[in-house]
């Protein structure tokens, strides 16, 4: 490269160079000045402007192809000079890549020296300035027409030359605000050892750098373990209701709901692969030519497979697969029974046929009625109409994978009107996807960022806890939460009673909390009120105030009580533990020594500690993920639910990524750490409310079979 076009090194001085890049009249100069002023540093003006203005003023001559190299020389010299005096950042109003693009656009030619230099000059980031600002005419600018095509050329040049860029849109003030935010994140990324290309990838995901930093810290140091104090039990953290109590609280809910926005929230984004895991393993390991299925069951001790085959005709999908087998095999009736069962399982999972393991649970056949086969979607619609309805309308929200939404819509289109007529309730269905900004970084076993064959960072979905963002986006007073697979056949009305009772319990607690908070906003607060509230907090909310509370000033006591009460509320149904895997209710001590009720998973517990292990195994109840939530405050404003997450309660899992061992971080679970700082009430509910389908064999249980 010619010396006059060489970009000088700054030696040991670390300068972050940022280019304002885009067509004419897109605010580059204004933004470069603003950023330089904000960061108290240098900016590099556009050499071509002064050069061409002088040419016009002296001889009224316009730019020609011969001006491209002199402009490039002048721009390079100016940038090298300003870099010497810049303070951490250097903002370039333009650079040689702009000159290259203009040369190609207007003259259909670019001098090889200019092209090489433009491609080799390095910058930490390009801000591609959008054409959504008004055109401003001056002596040197071409014309306003055709801005879209010119902008497309500028953008493509960055893509073709692998330059890290982020598009800036909006008015002058908004662009400055965005640019500063991006620059702060870029600076942090550089400090963490990420390249500019890495940073753009992280930015495109919308992941804050502080989240990436936190994840890298957890990978390096591990996750803190939960400090269990004792299991929550009946009359010690878990409320016990009589059948009459349930009916009264359900009635109370029905009387209160007319003025409330209700919504049912159903996490439904996962595929059903775990449901069929033992069948997938069978297809991989079974030697169809040399052994029978009975021999395989004995060899592998495959008890689940044995249960599946014995109960095969009871599955709601049996007849559809049997019909397909008879269509495909003319000799099916005389086929060896072992082969029949093998081909049944093969069709069930084959991507060319039913492909159940790759479909979402919500669209699978779960229940066989006399007139039809029902999916979990249909059962949730029935439930929604029964308990999450007010003024003859209800709202059902599914979190789904984007690729699965059409499947949900097709099923709902065929059944919704019938259910609405039967229930006399209009049902509005909405959807959301897991936000990309909740994805987490994947690392190798040395805790360094894992990269794919292109050298790009690899991200994974952040797990169930990511759905706190979806919940946060809902506009509702009361939200019922229930997993997609936790449905039952024939008993929607019975289930509705217990759901309504949980909601009635929530409203009772919420009304008292709101009354106290309104009282605390008045100027005439008496000590008696504080004493009454403390008693309520400890006896009804199961929260112990700190030992030093009684030594606070009166004003500090008021402030502390407000901070305790002004939180989202959840009422959680708990069933007796009958050996199902999953979280349970415990008294937990946090890092500040405060004890509260939490739902804890076994992986959160230090199992090497005998005392913690003993407490874990002493649990009497299990969380069936049956929640009713109040997500608005006493002023009817939505809480920002992200402020009530315990970020130390996520977990790290080992995965296989692109055939290599890796580690991934999963966010705090939706009803574990993601709701850790909520006000929490546990209520024992009957086992009938808990009927998840974790494996396909669960569909053989009485709750999923017709009577």
């Amino acid at each position: 490269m010619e010396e006059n076009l060489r970009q000088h090194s700054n030696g040991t001085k670390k300068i972050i160079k940022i280019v304002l890049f885009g067509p004419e009249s897109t605010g580059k100069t204004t933004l470069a000045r603003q950023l330089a002023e904000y960061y108290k540093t240098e900016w590099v003006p556009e050499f071509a402007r002064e050069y061409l203005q002088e040419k016009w003023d002296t001889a009224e001559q316009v730019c020609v192809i011969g001006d491209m190299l002199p402009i490039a020389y002048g721009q390079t010299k100016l940038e090298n000079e300003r870099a010497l005096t810049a303070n951490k950042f250097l903002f370039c109003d333009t650079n040689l890549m702009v000159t290259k693009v203009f040369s190609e656009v207007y003259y259909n030619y670019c001098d090889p020296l200019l092209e090489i230099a433009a491609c080799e000059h390095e910058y930490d980031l390009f801000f591609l300035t959008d054409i959504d600002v008004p055109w401003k005419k001056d002596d040197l600018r071409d014309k306003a027409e055709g801005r879209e095509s010119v902008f497309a050329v500028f953008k493509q040049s960055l893509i073709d030359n692998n330059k890290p860029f982020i598009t800036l849109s909006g008015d002058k003030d908004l662009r400055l605000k965005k640019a500063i935010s991006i620059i702060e994140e870029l600076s942090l990324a550089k400090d963490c050892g990420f390249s500019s290309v890495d940073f753009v990838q992280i930015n495109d995901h919308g992941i804050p750098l502080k989240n990436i930093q936190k994840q890298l810290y957890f990978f390096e140091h591990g996750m803190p373990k939960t400090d269990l104090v004792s299991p929550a039990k009946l009359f010690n953290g878990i409320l016990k209701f009589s059948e009459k109590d349930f009916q009264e609280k359900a009635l109370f809910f029905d009387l209160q709901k007319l003025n409330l926005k209700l919504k049912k929230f159903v996490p439904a984004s996962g595929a059903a692969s775990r449901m069929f895991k033992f069948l997938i393993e069978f297809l991989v390991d079974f030697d169809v030519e040399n052994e029978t299925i009975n021999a395989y069951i004995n060899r592998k001790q495959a008890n689940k497979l044995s249960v599946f085959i014995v109960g095969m005709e009871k599955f709601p999908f049996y007849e559809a697969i049997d019909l397909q087998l008879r269509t495909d095999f003319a000799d099916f009736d005389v086929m060896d029974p072992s082969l029949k069962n093998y081909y049944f399982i093969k069709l069930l999972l084959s991507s060319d046929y039913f492909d159940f393991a790759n479909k979402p649970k919500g669209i699978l056949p779960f229940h066989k009625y006399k007139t039809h086969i029902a999916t979990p979607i249909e059962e949730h619609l029935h439930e929604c109409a029964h308990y999450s309805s007010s003024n003859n309308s209800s709202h059902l929200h599914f979190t789904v994978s984007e690729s699965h939404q059409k499947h949900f819509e097709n099923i709902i289109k065929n059944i919704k009107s019938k259910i609405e007529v039967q229930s006399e309730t209009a049902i509005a269905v909405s959807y959301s996807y897991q936000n990309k900004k909740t994805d987490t970084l994947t690392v190798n076993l040395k805790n360094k960022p894992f990269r794919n064959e292109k050298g790009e960072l690899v991200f994974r979905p952040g797990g169930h806890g990511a759905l706190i963002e979806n919940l946060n986006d809902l506009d509702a007073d009361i939200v019922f939460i229930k997993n997609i697979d936790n449905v039952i056949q024939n008993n929607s009305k019975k289930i509705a009673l217990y759901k309504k009772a949980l909601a009635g319990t929530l409203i009772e607690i919420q009304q008292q909390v709101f009354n106290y908070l309104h009282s605390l906003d008045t100027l005439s607060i008496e000590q008696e009120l504080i004493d009454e509230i403390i008693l309520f907090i400890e006896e009804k909310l199961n929260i112990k105030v700190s030992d030093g509370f009684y030594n606070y000033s009166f004003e500090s006591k008021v402030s502390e009580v407000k901070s305790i009460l002004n939180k989202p509320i959840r009422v959680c149904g708990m069933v007796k533990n009958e050996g199902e895997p999953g979280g349970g209710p415990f008294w937990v001590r946090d890092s500040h020594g405060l004890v509260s009720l939490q739902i804890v998973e076994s992986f959160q517990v230090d199992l090497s500690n005998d005392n913690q292990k003993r407490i874990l195994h002493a649990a009497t109840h299990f969380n069936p993920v049956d929640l009713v939530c109040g997500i608005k405050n006493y002023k009817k404003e939505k809480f920002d639910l992200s402020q009530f997450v315990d970020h130390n309660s996520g977990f790290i899992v080992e995965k296989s990524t692109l055939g290599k061992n890796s580690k991934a971080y999963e966010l705090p679970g939706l009803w574990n750490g993601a709701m850790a700082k909520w006000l929490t009430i546990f209520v024992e509910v009957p086992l009938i409310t808990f009927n998840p389908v974790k494996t396909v064999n669960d569909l053989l249980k009485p709750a999923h079979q017709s009577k």
Side-chain angles (χ1 to χ4, degrees):
M1 188 198 306
E2 187 176 328
E3 184 60 32
N4 288 340
L5 293 175
R6 192 172 302 280
Q7 193 180 40
H8 292 172
S9 167
N10 295 314
T12 59
K13 187 178 181 182
K14 291 185 178 180
I15 298 292
I16 292 178
K17 289 185 176 182
I18 296 175
V19 181
L20 285 303
F21 187 83
E24 297 175 322
S25 191
T26 53
K28 299 189 295 295
T29 303
T30 299
L31 186 55
R33 281 200 187 103
Q34 288 176 314
L35 290 171
E37 181 180 350
Y38 181 87
Y39 286 103
K40 303 294 188 287
T41 189
E42 299 282 2
W43 70 284
V44 183
E46 183 183 7
F47 177 79
R49 175 158 289 277
E50 184 177 337
Y51 174 91
L52 295 174
Q53 188 68 55
E54 182 178 350
K55 187 176 180 181
W56 175 260
D57 291 342
T58 56
E60 291 193 355
Q61 292 180 340
V62 297
C63 184
V64 295
I65 184 63
D67 291 317
M68 292 296 101
L69 270 182
I71 288 172
Y73 295 146
Q75 193 66 48
T76 304
K77 181 174 182 291
L78 197 54
E79 182 182 314
N80 287 334
E81 290 172 350
R82 298 293 170 95
L84 295 173
T85 56
N87 172 31
K88 189 176 180 179
F89 299 102
L90 179 66
F91 300 102
C92 304
D93 179 14
T94 188
N95 77 332
L96 298 197
M97 186 66 72
V98 175
T99 311
K100 172 181 178 297
V101 171
F102 273 123
S103 183
E104 291 169 341
V105 167
Y106 287 101
Y107 308 112
N108 201 29
Y109 172 79
C110 180
D111 188 290
L113 289 174
L114 171 57
E115 182 162 8
I116 292 170
C119 294
E120 290 190 2
H121 280 200
E122 293 186 356
Y123 300 90
D124 294 281
L125 189 64
F126 286 73
F127 279 134
L128 176 60
T129 50
D130 205 347
I131 55 174
D132 60 342
V133 292
W135 170 271
K136 290 185 179 179
K137 180 175 175 56
D138 66 18
D139 291 340
L140 302 177
R141 285 180 178 153
D142 190 6
K143 55 187 176 181
E145 293 76 21
R147 295 177 87 196
E148 292 83 1
S149 59
V150 175
F151 177 81
V153 171
F154 270 84
K155 182 175 182 178
Q156 193 61 46
S157 70
L158 293 174
I159 295 171
D160 292 343
N161 290 283
N162 298 312
K163 300 299 183 182
F165 74 94
I166 294 172
T167 303
L168 278 183
S169 304
D171 62 24
K172 180 176 71 173
D173 294 335
L174 182 58
R175 288 189 185 199
L176 177 62
K177 184 178 179 181
K178 286 181 180 178
I180 290 171
S181 175
I182 292 167
I183 290 165
E184 295 299 317
E185 291 277 284
L186 172 64
S187 182
L188 188 56
K190 294 289 185 180
D191 291 342
C192 292
F194 290 108
S195 69
S196 295
V197 174
D198 293 338
F199 170 70
V200 170
Q201 191 184 352
I202 293 169
N203 182 80
D204 287 346
H205 259 76
I207 306 173
L209 252 297
K210 65 179 182 179
N211 291 6
I212 299 288
Q213 274 187 310
K214 193 178 298 178
Q215 291 162 27
L216 290 172
Y217 178 86
F218 288 147
F219 283 127
E220 192 68 38
H221 300 280
M223 301 298 306
K225 293 297 184 179
T226 300
D227 183 7
L228 300 181
V229 175
S230 65
K233 297 185 177 182
L234 288 179
F235 312 110
N236 183 27
I238 302 178
L239 298 177
K240 174 73 172 177
F241 292 157
S242 67
E243 195 67 14
K244 182 181 178 182
D245 292 331
F246 279 117
Q247 291 170 356
E248 288 178 350
K249 292 183 184 298
L251 177 60
F252 178 70
F253 166 70
D254 281 333
L255 294 173
Q256 298 292 319
K257 70 181 183 181
L258 297 179
N259 299 316
L260 297 173
K261 290 182 180 179
L262 308 177
K263 187 157 287 191
K264 184 178 182 184
F265 181 83
V266 181
S269 55
S273 51
R274 290 184 185 178
M275 249 181 91
F276 301 96
K277 183 179 178 183
F278 70 92
L279 295 180
I280 295 170
E281 291 171 350
F282 162 71
L283 291 180
V284 171
D285 295 340
F286 180 56
D287 186 352
V288 65
E289 294 181 357
N290 297 304
E291 69 178 338
T292 65
I293 289 183
N294 282 338
Y296 172 87
I297 289 172
N298 292 329
R299 175 168 65 87
K300 301 287 288 189
Q301 295 296 298
N303 296 328
K304 291 180 181 178
L305 178 61
S306 179
V307 171
F308 178 87
I309 290 173
V310 169
M312 190 179 286
E313 293 186 15
K314 294 182 179 180
F315 286 111
F317 46 77
Y318 172 79
E319 292 179 4
I321 297 176
D322 184 67
L323 179 62
Q324 186 65 53
L325 286 169
R326 294 177 185 279
T327 301
D328 287 1
F329 297 96
D331 60 343
F332 182 75
D333 284 330
V334 297
M335 189 181 288
D336 181 84
S338 186
L339 271 181
K340 285 183 179 180
N341 292 334
Y342 168 74
Y343 284 119
F344 184 97
I345 296 169
K346 197 170 179 64
L347 261 66
L348 177 75
L349 300 178
S350 172
S351 59
D352 294 329
Y353 288 89
F354 293 86
D355 198 25
F356 276 6
N358 291 314
K359 291 179 178 177
K361 279 186 183 181
I363 72 169
L364 297 183
F366 263 35
H367 299 148
K368 181 180 180 180
Y369 291 94
K370 290 181 179 179
T371 57
H372 69 292
I373 304 294
T375 64
I377 294 173
E378 178 175 337
E379 303 293 12
H380 277 288
L381 283 164
H382 280 293
E383 283 193 18
C384 190
H386 277 111
Y387 61 73
S388 183
S389 61
S390 177
N391 300 306
N392 299 112
S393 67
S394 63
H395 298 267
L396 177 58
H397 184 88
F398 291 106
T399 64
V400 297
S401 297
E402 190 170 358
S403 59
H404 293 158
Q405 183 173 333
K406 280 291 182 187
H407 298 300
F408 278 70
E409 290 174 341
N410 289 338
I411 290 174
I412 289 170
K413 182 174 67 174
N414 291 327
I415 61 175
K416 188 164 79 79
S417 59
K418 180 181 177 182
I419 295 172
E420 288 177 327
V421 170
Q422 291 173 345
S423 63
E424 298 181 347
T425 303
I427 306 172
V429 180
S430 58
Y431 304 89
S432 64
Y433 318 128
Q434 185 171 315
N435 197 316
K436 281 176 61 179
K437 72 178 182 182
T438 63
D439 287 357
T440 62
L441 188 67
T442 302
V443 299
N444 60 27
L445 297 187
K446 293 183 178 180
N447 301 317
K448 302 299 180 185
F450 191 100
R451 297 180 183 276
N452 62 20
E453 61 278 359
K454 296 180 180 178
E456 299 167 332
L457 300 173
V458 174
F459 297 96
R460 286 184 178 273
H464 218 223
L467 299 183
I468 196 70
E469 296 287 344
N470 302 64
L471 185 61
N472 203 26
D473 289 337
L474 298 186
D475 181 20
D477 297 301
I478 303 294
V479 179
F480 296 88
I481 300 181
K482 197 174 188 185
N483 269 346
I484 186 67
D485 64 344
N486 187 14
V487 289
I488 192 170
Q489 188 164 1
N490 296 311
N491 279 293
S492 294
K493 289 183 179 179
K494 187 73 172 175
I495 296 296
L497 169 67
Y498 300 112
K499 271 292 200 181
K500 287 181 177 183
L502 294 181
T505 304
L506 170 70
I507 294 171
E508 284 180 349
I509 293 291
Q510 191 180 63
Q511 286 180 352
Q512 187 61 71
V513 167
F514 287 1
N515 286 338
Y516 282 141
L517 286 168
H518 283 299
S519 297
L520 290 170
D521 280 346
T522 65
L523 298 176
S524 56
I525 307 169
E526 301 291 340
Q527 180 63 47
E528 288 182 5
L529 177 62
I530 300 299
D531 293 339
E532 180 184 330
I533 294 174
I534 293 301
L535 189 64
F536 172 79
I537 287 172
E538 294 190 336
E539 292 190 355
K540 297 296 185 181
L541 300 182
N542 298 299
I543 297 172
K544 307 292 189 292
V545 297
S546 62
D547 293 337
F549 176 83
Y550 295 99
N551 296 322
Y552 292 174
S553 67
F554 186 76
E555 291 76 13
S556 296
K557 287 180 180 177
V558 172
S559 178
E560 176 72 6
V561 166
K562 277 187 175 181
S563 68
I564 291 173
L565 293 178
N566 195 25
K567 296 176 180 177
I569 306 173
R570 59 175 174 163
V571 176
C572 313
M574 296 288 157
V575 296
K576 290 179 180 178
N577 193 331
E578 294 199 333
E580 292 282 355
F586 292 88
W587 291 97
V588 171
R589 182 180 291 107
D590 69 14
S591 58
H592 302 291
L594 298 178
V595 176
S596 63
L597 287 173
Q598 301 292 338
I599 297 168
V600 180
E601 305 281 350
S602 59
F603 61 77
Q604 296 177 263
V605 181
D606 182 4
L607 297 179
S608 66
N609 182 310
D610 289 339
N611 182 54
Q612 292 289 289
K613 190 175 180 179
R614 178 185 58 79
I615 295 171
L616 177 68
H617 292 313
T620 58
H621 286 71
F622 174 83
N623 167 44
V625 194
D626 216 354
L627 279 67
V628 184
C629 304
I631 59 174
K632 288 186 178 179
N633 66 18
Y634 68 111
K635 296 179 179 179
K636 286 289 187 179
E637 301 163 333
K638 286 173 59 179
F639 283 108
D640 177 2
L641 301 182
S642 66
Q643 300 302 308
F644 301 91
V645 177
D646 176 8
H647 295 284
N648 289 327
S649 59
F651 60 101
I652 293 170
V653 293
E654 291 203 9
K655 299 275 188 179
S656 176
T657 305
L658 302 176
K660 298 179 181 178
N661 292 330
S662 64
K663 294 197 292 187
Y665 169 73
E666 295 220 354
L667 299 170
L670 180 57
W671 28 80
N672 307 105
M675 294 182 175
K677 298 177 184 179
W678 291 39
L679 299 178
T680 297
I681 306 294
F682 292 151
V683 178
E684 185 183 69
V685 291
L687 278 168
I688 193 176
T689 64
F690 184 49
N691 301 283
V693 179
K694 300 304 180 187
T695 81
V696 64
N697 285 350
D698 287 330
L699 291 174
L700 299 174
K701 293 180 178 179
H704 300 287
Q705 292 288 313
S706 60
K707 296 179 180 179

